[in-house]
Amino acid sequence: MTLAGFPRIAVDPAICGGRPIVAGTRVRVSDILEMLAGGASVDEIVADFPYLSEDDVRAALAYAAAMADHPVVLAAE
């Protein structure tokens, strides 16, 4: 099932334990983020995973940004 607002991102309990993936693949959003954090470029990721497109990588980034965009409330000390 693709996610509302993120047609390239899917969640299926039967695939990768229900973690968000690029739709139609078994590539987790977290895998893409780890590659980017490790210094891989979008071109390198697409070359290593030819079934992914630049738009897929950008969709993973957009999804991660949206999921990280929430207020953090710290308890008073």
Side-chain angles (χ1 to χ4, degrees):
M1 154 178 90
T2 59
L3 301 175
F6 299 97
R8 291 179 177 271
I9 306 300
V11 174
D12 182 339
I15 300 173
C16 296
R19 292 176 182 86
I21 59 170
V22 175
T25 74
R26 296 182 69 84
V27 178
R28 297 173 302 173
V29 168
S30 62
D31 295 331
I32 292 172
L33 297 175
E34 288 176 6
M35 287 184 270
L36 291 168
S41 69
V42 174
D43 290 336
E44 290 171 326
I45 293 170
V46 172
D48 288 345
F49 300 89
Y51 43 88
L52 294 179
S53 69
E54 287 185 25
D55 288 339
D56 292 330
V57 175
R58 295 186 200 297
L61 277 172
Y63 174 77
M67 294 302 103
D69 187 28
H70 61 85
V72 175
V73 179
L74 301 175
E77 290 184 19

